[in-house]
Every structure is written in structure tokens, then in C-alpha cells.
Amino acid sequence: MAVQLLAVNDLAEDVLACICVALDQAATDVPGQPGCPTCRSCLVPGTVSWDSCEDPCGPPAQVGGQLTVSVARVFPSTSFPSEDREIRGLRGCTQPTYMAVELVITLLRCVPGPTDDGCPPSCEDLAAAAKVLHVDLASVYNALLCCLPQTTTKPGSRRYVIGASKTVGPDGGCVGLEQRVTVGLYGCYACPEG
């Protein structure tokens, strides 16, 4: 069975919204923790560009950083989360039950760099940046674990696999995380006529 045309985009938007809510909650719960990036929080096509991780782009109430969700790959799956390698077009061939979508969540924040006179950042500044990163890692994981199942019309029916999270950077004054999640979109629409 085919999937709804906007299913992948809707899923990516749901994941972005879940993560923003979790990051804003972490900012409330952990003193000094930044919330969801205000100016650079978006869906992106293809590989993520590290466009911005600097501090707020506007008034002081805004949060700096960059949060993106992108699609890494899409594949058919009869037995989710395994990739289906069945040849199509044969009689009696089972249609894939799921379209599996692998999403990549990237969250970047500023990292302390050398001082104007070339000295390395202090251990205290590095520890503060590490704490922000560690809370971000837990927040993104919690968003996928707790919010993602609720993003369907039948709560609890969403199938997904949370992949490994890894730290990225520092590079160009940015450090952050990359989290992958694979979600099964149930094929419940008939194929187009013609």
C-alpha cells in the first residue's frame, strides 16, 4: 500500500515540534540551560549546513543555536525496522507494510573558543558548555521517547527505533549533537489510478 503524500513532511514537522517543546521544558527545569533555538529551528533538505550556532539573533528573550530535522533515507519495510529487499512485480509478492523514514536531528550551540590573546577557554567555560550539551542529549532523547508516540491519530501505534546519538564538533565555534530515529509510516492508501 502507498503512503499519504505529506506523511514524511508531517512526520518531520512533528519531530521538530516535539524536540522544541522538550528543549523549552529543559530550559525551565535546569538553570542556565538554553531552550529551543528561536531563529534557526527548521526542516532542511538533505545534509545539514552548519549555518549558525551563535547566540541570540534578536532581542535578549531569543535563544541562539540551530536545530534542524532532515531526512537521511526512506526505504520499504515489510518487517519494520528491517529494510525490505524483496523483488516487486511478481505474483503473490507481499507489498511492503511500512515506508521507513530515517530522520536526522541536529542541534548546534556555541562553544567557548580561545580568548582574544590566544589563551584556551577556561575549564569552567568548557564544563558549562558540556553541561548544556549533556542536557540537550537527554532532552532530544526524551522528546523522541515520550512525544513521538503521541504524534499519530492512534497514540501508542507509532513504530520507531531511536538510533545512537553522537556529539558533533567543535567546529567553527559550534558543538552539538546528531540524533537519528527511524519511523515506520504505515501504508494505508491505495496506489494512484493509471
Side-chain angles (χ1 to χ4, degrees):
M1 298 293 278
V3 295
Q4 197 175 30
L5 294 177
L6 290 172
V8 174
N9 193 73
D10 291 347
L11 170 66
E13 286 179 347
D14 288 345
V15 167
L16 183 66
C18 283
I19 292 169
C20 266
V21 168
L23 292 172
D24 286 341
Q25 184 62 51
T28 301
D29 296 344
V30 179
Q33 182 69 21
C36 186
T38 309
C39 301
R40 302 278 316 155
S41 180
C42 51
L43 302 183
V44 296
T47 304
V48 176
S49 294
W50 287 29
D51 293 324
S52 175
C53 67
E54 65 255 1
D55 291 327
C57 53
Q62 295 190 334
V63 177
Q66 176 175 300
L67 170 65
T68 58
V69 175
S70 61
V71 176
R73 66 189 186 123
V74 175
F75 57 90
S77 180
T78 303
S79 178
F80 184 80
S82 299
E83 187 171 349
D84 191 352
R85 299 279 185 192
E86 212 171 292
I87 298 171
R88 301 281 167 233
L90 304 174
R91 281 183 197 233
C93 179
T94 306
Q95 292 295 317
T97 308
Y98 295 95
M99 170 196 266
V101 180
E102 184 180 3
L103 298 175
V104 180
I105 298 107
T106 306
L107 177 58
L108 302 173
R109 307 277 193 191
C110 286
V111 65
T115 62
D116 290 339
D117 55 358
C119 293
S122 70
C123 285
E124 292 79 14
D125 288 344
L126 291 172
K131 180 181 174 186
V132 168
L133 176 61
H134 299 158
V135 172
D136 282 343
L137 285 162
S139 298
V140 171
Y141 176 82
N142 289 345
L144 294 174
L145 187 67
C146 302
C147 177
L148 183 57
Q150 307 307 318
T151 61
T152 180
T153 55
K154 295 179 185 177
S157 66
R158 172 91 66 203
R159 290 184 180 224
Y160 62 101
V161 175
I162 300 174
S165 184
K166 68 178 185 175
T167 58
V168 292
D171 189 13
C174 301
V175 70
L177 67 92
E178 180 184 282
Q179 172 72 61
R180 291 178 182 254
V181 63
T182 304
V183 181
L185 297 177
Y186 189 70
C188 57
Y189 294 91
C191 288
E193 297 284 324

